[in-house]
Amino acid sequence: MKSHHHQLLFMFLVFFAQKIELLTAETFTGTYGINYGRIADNIPSPDEVATLLRAAKIKNVRIYDADHSVLKAFSGTGLQLVVGLPNGFVKEMSANASHAMAWVKENVQAFLPKTSVCGIAVGNEILGGGDYELWEALLGAVKNIYNAVDKLGLADVVQITTAHSQAVFDNSYPPSSCIFRENVAQFMKPLLEFFSQIGSPFCLNAYPFLAYMSDPENIDINYALFQKTKGIYDMKTDLHYDNMLDAQIDATYAALEDAGFKKMEVIVTETGWASLGDANEAAATVGNARTFNYNLRKRLAKKKGTPLRPKMVVKAYIFAIFNENLKSGPTSERNFGLFKPDGSISYDIGFHGLSSAESSLLSLKVRDSLYTNTQGHSKGNILGFELFIFLIKIIRLF
């Protein structure tokens, strides 16, 4: 009998050791992340990008697809990756649960746990966009992708989200007056209900750059750039805002509260400032881009909330790593990168270019090796080890 108990406990311990790292995965580490757009033919390889990001100590990364060359390059790096299900797949995934399962198996499960895929973004800026069939298909796609992840035992590892633009809102000024647009709300509320059930945040793409460009006569550019300014005052909440991004986030919280989802967290999945633009995009300069991104980085490093949600620490993914020369639209669309195509910095906000990154990675590898040998792979593993010891003590009771 004693031997049988020992065998059962040993089997449990082996199973536990295999699962502990997955069970303790984090979706977002710290407050700073970055978007890795690749609509370009002149940017560094995924392996070089992984080197660049590790040297810059940027751990949270979003891509807009599930490109296998990126997933392979990020293997073993510790970078936490949110992959994207492109808008072109949303209708198919909504209509066919087996296709959703196949997609998750091929593009997520196959790369875990070596590549830390911590999220799937189902579509991008669908609600408020021009394709109303996509509006109708979004919730079904989200549910089918989530159900596939859940059936594969990955629901505690891989978070399901979708990102929204400012086009889903009405009356965003002052922040407390913000609500969801009437035609959007009928699709948004069921989506939010499902996200609240599975613990997903509201993902917001917020660009003070675009807001300022739309109304430069009435918006102080210093307010958009986190510079000293008189800011705005919201009479309803008796709150003062000294920068536009905080106001945009709190407008989102106001809309969520109005819709009945007061406790849902808002994460900024895109924000940034263009360093070059067309003649009618005068605010798109290197100086303004540097000021915005430098001040944003400082603001995120403070790990504080917003005036309306002071305890809800702001987290943001910056757009983007590189300028993307093949993107369509105005010149600004191709010039949001913190880095140039050759891997050098576009402007200085404290990061180093690729050549510096490659040399510093050697010291990173040495440090990581020493840390792994003495401390284990992660906090999750340390926790797992402590629980392992606890279970060994239980064995001794038999």
Side-chain angles (χ1 to χ4, degrees):
M1 187 69 169
K2 187 175 181 179
S3 175
H4 177 65
H5 285 156
H6 281 184
Q7 289 175 345
L8 286 175
L9 280 166
F10 179 76
M11 289 171 63
F12 174 75
L13 289 172
V14 170
F15 175 80
F16 182 83
Q18 291 173 337
K19 297 296 182 182
I20 188 65
E21 188 166 347
L22 291 179
L23 290 172
T24 55
E26 297 176 81
T27 304
F28 199 114
T29 299
T31 59
Y32 195 95
I34 202 160
N35 287 277
Y36 177 16
R38 305 188 321 282
I39 306 177
D41 60 7
N42 59 354
I43 58 176
S45 70
D47 287 298
E48 291 173 308
V49 173
T51 298
L52 181 66
L53 293 173
R54 291 184 72 199
K57 296 182 174 63
I58 300 174
K59 191 170 185 180
N60 309 290
V61 189
R62 289 170 59 87
I63 57 175
Y64 294 90
D65 53 21
D67 185 88
H68 287 195
S69 66
V70 177
L71 287 160
K72 289 173 184 174
F74 281 29
S75 176
T77 62
L79 297 168
Q80 292 176 235
L81 186 65
V82 175
V83 299
L85 176 77
N87 289 3
F89 288 89
V90 167
K91 293 176 188 176
E92 176 189 349
M93 298 304 160
S94 181
N96 197 314
S98 64
H99 288 192
M101 175 63 79
W103 190 92
V104 172
K105 283 182 175 179
E106 180 182 343
N107 298 293
V108 177
Q109 186 190 39
F111 294 91
L112 288 168
K114 288 185 177 181
T115 300
S116 181
V117 181
C118 61
I120 301 171
V122 180
N124 186 51
E125 298 187 347
I126 287 177
L127 299 185
D131 189 335
Y132 293 100
E133 289 184 2
L134 275 182
W135 293 27
E136 294 176 352
L138 179 58
L139 179 58
V142 165
K143 286 184 174 180
N144 281 343
I145 291 291
Y146 174 79
N147 288 336
V149 166
D150 190 37
K151 286 176 183 176
L152 294 171
L154 301 173
D156 291 329
V157 182
V158 181
Q159 188 179 72
I160 310 303
T161 59
T162 189
H164 304 284
S165 75
Q166 300 277 335
V168 301
F169 301 122
D170 256 343
N171 309 322
S172 59
Y173 180 85
S176 61
S177 69
C178 189
I179 57 173
F180 290 112
R181 275 173 45 192
E182 188 176 349
N183 65 331
V184 169
Q186 61 180 308
F187 297 96
M188 182 67 80
K189 287 186 178 180
L191 184 67
L192 295 177
E193 185 64 45
F194 185 68
F195 280 153
S196 68
Q197 292 170 10
I198 65 173
S200 292
F202 185 97
C203 293
L204 171 69
N205 294 347
Y207 286 90
F209 168 74
L210 297 177
Y212 171 77
M213 293 262 291
S214 70
D215 193 12
E217 297 295 320
N218 296 304
I219 297 174
D220 179 3
I221 194 168
N222 291 317
Y223 179 61
L225 292 172
F226 301 93
Q227 298 280 69
K228 286 186 178 180
T229 174
K230 67 177 183 179
I232 67 161
Y233 174 69
D234 192 323
M235 291 182 64
K236 180 180 177 182
T237 56
D238 191 29
L239 294 172
H240 177 263
Y241 291 87
D242 61 12
N243 72 82
M244 188 187 290
L245 185 64
D246 277 9
Q248 290 176 322
I249 295 169
D250 276 356
T252 307
Y253 277 123
L256 287 170
E257 186 169 350
D258 178 74
F261 300 92
K262 184 177 181 178
K263 294 183 179 179
M264 184 171 286
E265 180 184 14
V266 174
I267 291 180
V268 178
T269 36
E270 285 184 24
T271 191
W273 199 284
S275 60
L276 183 66
D278 293 321
N280 64 343
E281 298 178 304
T285 67
V286 170
N288 286 341
R290 182 197 176 278
T291 299
F292 178 85
N293 280 297
Y294 178 77
N295 288 336
L296 173 60
R297 193 178 176 204
K298 283 201 306 182
R299 189 255 178 268
L300 293 173
K302 292 177 181 177
K303 298 183 179 179
K304 67 173 187 175
T306 59
L308 187 63
R309 294 285 189 273
K311 294 182 180 178
M312 199 75 82
V313 175
V314 174
K315 303 170 184 174
Y317 290 89
I318 282 60
F319 189 86
I321 302 179
F322 300 111
N323 293 334
E324 296 173 77
N325 68 326
L326 298 183
K327 291 191 80 171
S328 59
T331 297
S332 59
E333 279 291 311
R334 294 179 286 282
N335 289 280
F336 275 88
L338 298 186
F339 296 89
K340 295 178 181 177
D342 63 1
S344 63
I345 57 172
S346 296
Y347 40 81
D348 186 8
I349 62 168
F351 295 129
H352 300 290
L354 192 56
S355 57
S356 301
E358 287 173 321
S359 60
S360 66
L361 188 65
L362 291 173
S363 60
L364 267 176
K365 286 180 177 177
V366 171
R367 188 200 66 190
D368 289 350
S369 176
L370 289 171
Y371 181 78
T372 299
N373 290 335
T374 58
Q375 301 293 331
H377 293 292
S378 65
K379 287 189 295 185
N381 282 349
I382 293 169
L383 174 62
F385 180 74
E386 290 172 351
L387 289 170
F388 188 91
I389 295 300
F390 173 73
L391 291 167
I392 289 294
K393 292 178 180 178
I394 292 177
I395 290 176
R396 291 174 179 169
L397 297 176
F398 289 89

